[in-house]
Amino acid sequence: MSAEIYRQTKLGDSLVSALEVLVESDKITPELAIKVLSEFDTSYLEAIKNSFKAKTSVKGKLDSYRFCDNVWTFIVSDAKFKTNFTSTASTTHAPEVTVDKVQIVCVDAKVFDAQS
């Protein structure tokens, strides 16, 4: 398991698509595209570790769950999310978000720390 999991986010998917277009049109080399993706993986993980201070609670019906290679995957229906963002000065509460169905993927941070 590596930080490549973040390539499956909207941002990562957009980056991969843009790099594919650039490689196909001979604007950049495939090696440079791989180097950019590697830097993205590292930067995304560092940003999550250092920039986000939030606590989210989820309530809903747990339809299924799975644990494989230090990765938990949960499928939750009728899910309600409540998020609190904390800074040194105050706590901000985001509006509650409700969705019909959501897949939540959780990766143990120790897995990434061991690879560093």
Side-chain angles (χ1 to χ4, degrees):
M1 176 58 57
S2 70
E4 291 177 8
I5 193 169
Y6 297 112
R7 293 182 191 178
Q8 297 174 12
T9 64
K10 294 285 185 188
L11 181 62
D13 188 47
S14 296
L15 176 61
V16 169
S17 295
L19 289 171
E20 286 174 352
V21 169
L22 291 171
V23 169
E24 289 171 4
S25 64
D26 292 325
K27 302 282 185 189
I28 64 172
T29 64
E31 293 80 16
L32 179 56
I34 291 169
K35 188 172 182 175
V36 169
L37 284 174
S38 177
E39 185 61 34
F40 170 79
D41 297 337
T42 304
S43 299
Y44 201 99
L45 183 58
E46 284 301 312
I48 288 174
K49 282 183 180 179
N50 300 325
S51 300
F52 292 99
K53 305 292 183 216
K55 182 176 182 179
T56 300
S57 64
V58 181
K59 289 186 180 182
K61 180 179 177 256
L62 181 61
D63 293 332
S64 67
Y65 63 94
R66 162 175 66 244
F67 181 72
C68 182
D69 296 331
N70 289 319
V71 177
W72 281 101
T73 303
F74 303 94
I75 307 293
V76 182
S77 58
D78 301 321
K80 293 182 181 182
F81 293 86
K82 292 182 182 179
T83 303
N84 297 324
F85 300 97
T86 305
S87 67
T88 54
S90 66
T91 299
T92 305
H93 304 283
E96 185 176 285
V97 176
T98 303
V99 295
D100 294 333
K101 188 169 254 186
V102 65
Q103 176 177 331
I104 302 169
V105 179
C106 304
V107 180
D108 189 344
K110 294 175 192 171
V111 173
F112 293 119
D113 291 340
Q115 294 175 354
S116 300

